[in-house]
Each structure stands twice: as C-alpha cells, then as structure tokens.
Amino acid sequence: MNPTTSKTTETIVLGDEALALGAIHAGLSSAYGYPGTPSTEIMQYLIDEAAKDQSFVAQWCANEKTALEEAIGTSFAGRRALVTMKHVGLNVAADPFMNASLLNIKGGLVIAVADDPEMHSSQNEQDSRFFADFARIPCLEPTDQQEAYNMVQVAFDLSETLHVPVLLRLTTRLSHSRAPIAVGSIRAQNPASKALDRENWILVPSRAKVRWNALLDLQPKMVELSESSPFNQMELGSCSPRQKAAFGVLTSGLGFNYFRENRPELNSFVPYLHIGQYPLPVGKIRALAASVETLVVLEEGYPFIERLLRGILPSSGPAIKGKMDSTIPAAGELTPENVRPALGLPAIIGTSATASVGGQALPVRPPQLCAGCPHGDSYNAVKEALSAFKDSVVCADIGCYALGVLPPYAVPETIVCMGASITMAKGASEAGYRHAVAVIGDSTFLHSGITGLIDAVSANASMTVLILDNGTVAMTGGQPTILPGHRLAKIAEAVGVDPAHIHVTEAHRKFHAENLRILKDEIAYEGVSVVITVRECIETARKVKKTGGES
Ligand code: SF4
C-alpha cells in the first residue's frame, strides 16, 4: 500500500507541505480546514496549488466541525477528502469525528491533526492519538517529511479498504521543519459515486448499533495491518528471550529520530520497535518486550503507548521507563538532549531551552502585539472605560488579542477556548458580575461565537460583546475571515440584539474619545450590546501592499 516514489523528483518542503503534496498525489478531491498552528500550512499549500489548476477543492471553513462534515459529504459521494486542523480543533470537530467512525466510508477520509507539545501556540498539549483510539480508527504518525508525504496515500487506502476515517498525526517540529522528499506520480481521483447506502449512513440508534458492532469486529483486522505495516519497524539484532538486552527502546514520531541521533554513542546494539501505525502492533511489542530487561518509551505528547503497555505486557515483563516514572519529562517536546538520560547517556551540560549564539544567551522576547496593532487601541479604550465601573470582568478569546493579557494592557481575566469569551461572560454575568465584557475577534466570532451570542440574547444577559474586526485570521498568518466584516452587525441584529445597542466604530486612537463613550454607555446598559471595532491588521495590510492586492 506504499505509494510509488521516484528518487528522480525531489523537492524541499515543510512537514505540513509534504502532507499536502502527498494528498494531491494520492488523488485528493476536496480539502477543508480551519487555520491553527502548527497545521495551517497544510491547507495554505493546498489552496495555493488548487488555485493553479482548479483540479480539486481546497477551502478554509467556518470551523473544524463544519470542515469535517463537508469532508464526510465528499466521502459519501465516493471521493477522497482531507481535513486539516490543530489538536484543539479536533475538540470542536469531535461530534462528527466520533460518529464518522461508524459510517461505511466510501471515498477515503483522512483527518490530519497537528499537535503542539510544548504549547508554542496553544492552550494545552492534548495528544490526538487518544482521539483515534477513542473512535477506534487507525492512526498514522510520520517521523519525517518523507513519511508525511508517503503516509497520506496509505491513509487514504486504509480508509477505503476498512471503510473508516484515518487520523494522521503530526507534531510541531515536523510540521514546521523542511527537508527534501522524493515524490511519486499523481494518482487519479475517484469518480463521484451517487450510489446510496442508507443502511450504513443513517445513524439512528437501531442502525448505529449495527455499525458499532461492525467497527468492533474490524479491530483485529486493524491490529493485523499494524503488525505488517512498514511504518512499524523492529530490529532485535541477536536479542531474544534467552539472550536479553539490558534495555530496548519503543519509539513513535520524533522519538525515533532522537533515538537514532544518540545511537552512535551507545556501547552496544539496542533493540527497538518504532511505531508509526496504530492501533498498536501487539505481537511486535510483545516480541521486543520478551527480548529486553527494561523497555524505554520515547513518544511525544502524552504517555499514550506507555499506558497501553500495562494492558499488553504481563506484570512479569520488562520494567517500563518513560513519562509515567519521570524518566522522560512529562510535559513539553522531546529533544535529542532530554532523551539521553533514558538511554543511559550523560546529559549534555550547558543545553537549555534558552536560545544562544556563540555561547551568548539571547534575551528572552515575550510575544506582544505588533506596534500600531488595532487591538492595542481597542484595549486602551476598554481599560479606560472599565475604570469607571466596579464589579466588572473581561473574558477574552483565542487570537492575537490574547496578548492583551500582557502589560501595558493587562485587560482580560480569562482565556479558555474558541468562542468561550461570550459564553463565559454570560455565565459570569448571571452569577453576579454586574459588568461583563467579552472580547472576541471577527474570525473567532464566526467560528464559535455566534451560538454564544444567541444564548446571551435568549437570556437577555447583561453584557457587552466587543468584536475586534481586523479582517483576517491574524494569529495564524493572515488567512481570510470566512465572511466579510460588514456582515457582523447584521448577524448580531439577526440573532436579536437590539439595533440601538449595536455599534460599529474604528479601532484607532484618533477615535478614542468616541469609542470610550460608546463602551461606557454599553457596559452600563443592562442587556446584550455588541460593539464592533474595525481596523485591518497591519501585518496583513503590509502583505497585501507587498503582493499588490492579494493577501
Ligand atoms: S498580526 Fe495583526 S492583529 Fe496580530 S498583533 Fe500584529 S497587527 Fe495585531
């Protein structure tokens, strides 16, 4: 099931781009996604390529749930679909994700999820392999750009063979590092199929029960495919149950690279099993475990494999070392350095997370709003307006404006997840805060803020929603907002906000006095008000100017 690759065609790409290119070459018909670091470049690459020849669809969507549902529709029509998102985006898409595993998938359906261990640009470190296990579907996890390219075709084939979705998991370092890859020929897209399959696509309870049992029946086949997968490589050397090695290594993802990087310093051959395809190849794991005294697990993210080992190996099996006994740091990314002690190698003195040049530590530069950012002007107005009120709370959301937690603004009290600013402000207001303010960007409002606003209107909550409309998804590099900003006021009115309490202003210090007056009036108002402050992200404006009008 490996795609045929040719050594004659090489290109240097990011891990994200390798995945995107692999999808095109594997016969992709449609790709949908929502921007989110570190996954954004997958869809950006696909959109750029689709613009050249229009041979497939590639679109940003309102959120990850709508993206996945659109892809499920493509699969229903018999064609191959890819969905892209970051790990926390999979929480948003969890409803269709869990249910899609029960469908009789027709066209291959691949869900590419990029996890962010170390939380470079995320609010948690959740590990998407748990989601694949939760949905009882296969998961593929590349170690490098070439595998990211190759695995997409395998993922589509697995999806079409087993008739289930397949999750493809990346992590930050692979998504955002470049390497040369050999690419293969382009496979034709599936023809559209109009054949209906009501028995297997209508998840009413009576049929869902049948589909759930069918999925459970498929599990041994999935394990069998993992046992023979070329992505699950094992080398035992001369080690055996009678001649055990002192320790062996079980790796996944980048853990394999860091093991290989340190291997020349190891005194003797160390048997290993690298896992790139899940569910776990139980037979291979038992074979490795029987040949070693101690098993070291190097995996990025949660101790996913390590926890499952407890149910696979007997209590008389090898000692297990990994994140759960703190042999490996439980939080953050793996590095070539931090896995060394687990391999019995001395720590490298002088390495630290602090970047240095020529032995000189570089000063730490915390992130901050760009100079002249419109959000700065909006926060200045909110801060001053709130100084007139006692008993206030500001709930903010996910976007560049999250940087408003830092001085000199230090305005928001909460930031939790996409859309939570509005719903949390509503809850806080109903629990007793007299003046609740939600701060949310235009794209995040369209992603998952609208439903919260509907709740607020329905309950006539006493709160102000401040929508910062900079016309772009700035934090992920300036992707277009799904709908133009001039529709935001109409949306607020359409869901029932009193037009007298909807204001559109410009986020600029020259309008500070007027913006301050509007905010003070609306924060004092005992009902739902919406204030939309508009000004283009200056980074996006700069890019548009540079490209002569195309953002
Ligand atoms: S990228 Fe745009 S929105 Fe983000 S901080 Fe810079 S100017 Fe502000």
Side-chain angles (χ1 to χ4, degrees):
M1 293 213 295
N2 257 319
T4 315
T5 53
S6 155
K7 288 279 176 201
T8 54
T9 313
E10 282 212 345
T11 180
I12 297 176
V13 284
L14 293 175
D16 278 354
E17 294 169 343
L19 195 156
L21 191 57
I24 297 170
H25 290 183
L28 175 77
S29 290
S30 299
Y32 304 102
Y34 186 81
T37 308
S39 72
T40 309
E41 291 82 357
I42 306 172
M43 185 57 67
Q44 196 57 62
Y45 188 91
L46 290 167
I47 288 172
D48 293 346
E49 290 301 305
K52 291 177 192 164
D53 67 1
Q54 318 278 317
S55 62
F56 60 92
V57 172
Q59 291 169 359
W60 292 121
C61 301
N63 64 37
E64 296 84 353
K65 179 177 186 288
T66 63
L68 178 50
E69 288 160 352
E70 287 162 39
I72 294 170
T74 300
S75 170
F76 176 73
R79 312 197 86 179
R80 296 189 187 104
L82 177 75
V83 195
T84 72
M85 60 193 74
K86 68 183 295 176
H87 59 327
V88 288
L90 188 51
N91 301 336
V92 177
D95 195 1
F97 178 79
M98 293 302 296
N99 295 329
S101 67
L102 299 186
L103 300 171
N104 186 38
I105 289 299
K106 295 203 266 178
L109 176 60
V110 177
I111 300 138
V113 185
D115 291 358
D116 188 16
E118 198 81 42
M119 295 182 262
H120 294 285
S121 188
S122 306
Q123 60 271 48
N124 74 34
E125 283 200 358
Q126 71 184 60
D127 186 325
S128 298
R129 293 175 298 171
F130 280 92
F131 258 114
D133 187 55
F134 196 17
R136 310 304 297 268
I137 60 170
C139 173
L140 298 176
E141 185 179 15
T143 55
D144 57 25
Q145 288 75 2
Q146 186 68 61
E147 273 197 351
Y149 173 84
N150 292 347
M151 276 183 172
V152 193
Q153 182 162 324
V154 175
F156 278 127
D157 290 347
L158 267 177
S159 178
E160 290 179 4
T161 303
L162 298 170
H163 304 288
V164 294
V166 172
L167 191 145
L168 215 162
R169 178 204 191 215
L170 298 173
T171 53
T172 308
R173 295 283 155 184
L174 177 52
S175 286
H176 284 173
S177 57
R178 284 182 198 280
I181 59 167
V183 299
S185 50
I186 302 178
R187 180 164 73 169
Q189 294 181 27
N190 284 345
S193 158
K194 302 280 167 67
L196 299 178
D197 180 15
R198 290 197 177 94
E199 284 298 312
N200 299 310
W201 278 78
I202 294 179
L203 293 180
V204 293
S206 59
R207 292 180 189 171
K209 280 178 197 165
V210 175
R211 294 303 308 157
W212 172 235
N213 283 320
L215 182 63
L216 294 178
D217 289 346
L218 261 183
Q219 299 302 306
K221 177 75 180 165
M222 290 184 200
V223 175
E224 193 186 311
L225 290 171
S226 286
E227 295 287 0
S228 59
S229 168
F231 299 127
N232 293 336
Q233 313 166 30
M234 183 165 71
E235 271 195 58
L236 296 182
S238 58
C239 302
S240 70
R242 269 175 297 177
Q243 197 182 342
K244 292 188 181 186
F247 76 97
V249 178
L250 220 170
T251 65
S252 76
L254 298 182
F256 191 33
N257 295 349
Y258 302 153
F259 166 57
R260 285 187 290 195
E261 198 168 325
N262 283 300
R263 200 159 48 173
E265 290 185 54
L266 298 171
N267 289 330
S268 57
F269 174 80
V270 172
Y272 71 87
L273 168 61
H274 169 68
I275 294 173
Q277 181 169 335
Y278 307 78
L280 291 175
V282 174
K284 278 184 170 165
I285 289 173
R286 288 186 177 140
L288 173 68
S291 305
V292 300
E293 302 287 352
T294 297
L295 196 48
V296 174
V297 186
L298 304 180
E299 57 186 325
E300 198 158 62
Y302 286 14
F304 174 76
I305 297 173
E306 195 181 336
R307 286 176 69 179
L308 290 174
L309 286 181
R310 267 78 183 173
I312 292 172
L313 301 178
S315 53
S316 58
I320 298 169
K321 301 265 173 208
K323 292 178 176 239
M324 291 171 73
D325 70 347
S326 302
T327 303
I328 301 287
E333 295 177 295
L334 294 184
T335 67
E337 292 79 27
N338 71 13
V339 304
R340 286 174 63 85
L343 300 173
L345 296 172
I348 296 176
I349 308 296
T351 56
S352 77
T354 309
S356 63
V357 172
Q360 287 264 306
L362 293 175
V364 177
R365 292 192 307 163
Q368 57 184 351
L369 293 175
C370 303
C373 174
H375 298 335
D377 293 317
S378 296
Y379 273 131
N380 281 333
V382 175
K383 193 169 184 173
E384 195 174 334
L386 284 172
S387 65
F389 298 94
K390 287 201 180 98
D391 201 13
S392 66
V393 64
V394 178
C395 301
D397 226 292
I398 309 290
C400 280
Y401 45 90
L403 296 168
V405 300
L406 302 171
Y409 313 107
V411 172
E413 264 86 43
T414 70
I415 296 175
V416 176
C417 63
M418 294 286 281
S421 58
I422 297 178
T423 33
M424 284 186 64
K426 173 181 179 284
S429 144
E430 289 168 348
Y433 278 98
R434 281 200 62 202
H435 304 290
V437 178
V439 178
I440 188 166
D442 49 338
S443 179
T444 309
F445 177 73
L446 295 170
H447 176 284
S448 49
I450 295 174
T451 44
L453 183 60
I454 291 170
D455 279 0
V457 169
S458 161
N460 193 28
S462 179
M463 59 184 284
T464 299
V465 178
L466 178 61
I467 304 177
L468 309 181
D469 175 15
N470 60 3
T472 188
V473 192
M475 200 183 197
T476 49
Q479 293 72 36
T481 303
I482 195 87
L483 288 177
H486 66 80
R487 300 209 190 147
L488 295 173
K490 290 179 190 158
I491 290 170
E493 189 176 346
V495 302
V497 180
D498 180 348
H501 294 280
I502 300 173
H503 305 267
V504 180
T505 71
E506 189 171 341
H508 198 286
R509 61 177 178 273
K510 65 186 175 192
F511 301 108
H512 181 77
E514 189 192 342
N515 292 345
L516 189 59
R517 179 190 59 73
I518 291 171
L519 280 169
K520 278 183 177 170
D521 286 352
E522 294 307 338
I523 291 169
Y525 169 61
E526 294 193 355
V528 182
S529 56
V530 173
V531 179
I532 303 165
T533 61
V534 185
R535 183 153 68 90
E536 191 177 17
C537 157
I538 54 172
E539 268 303 305
T540 304
R542 195 173 291 150
K543 269 193 228 160
V544 170
K545 203 170 164 194
K546 212 166 147 189
T547 55
E550 289 174 28
S551 59

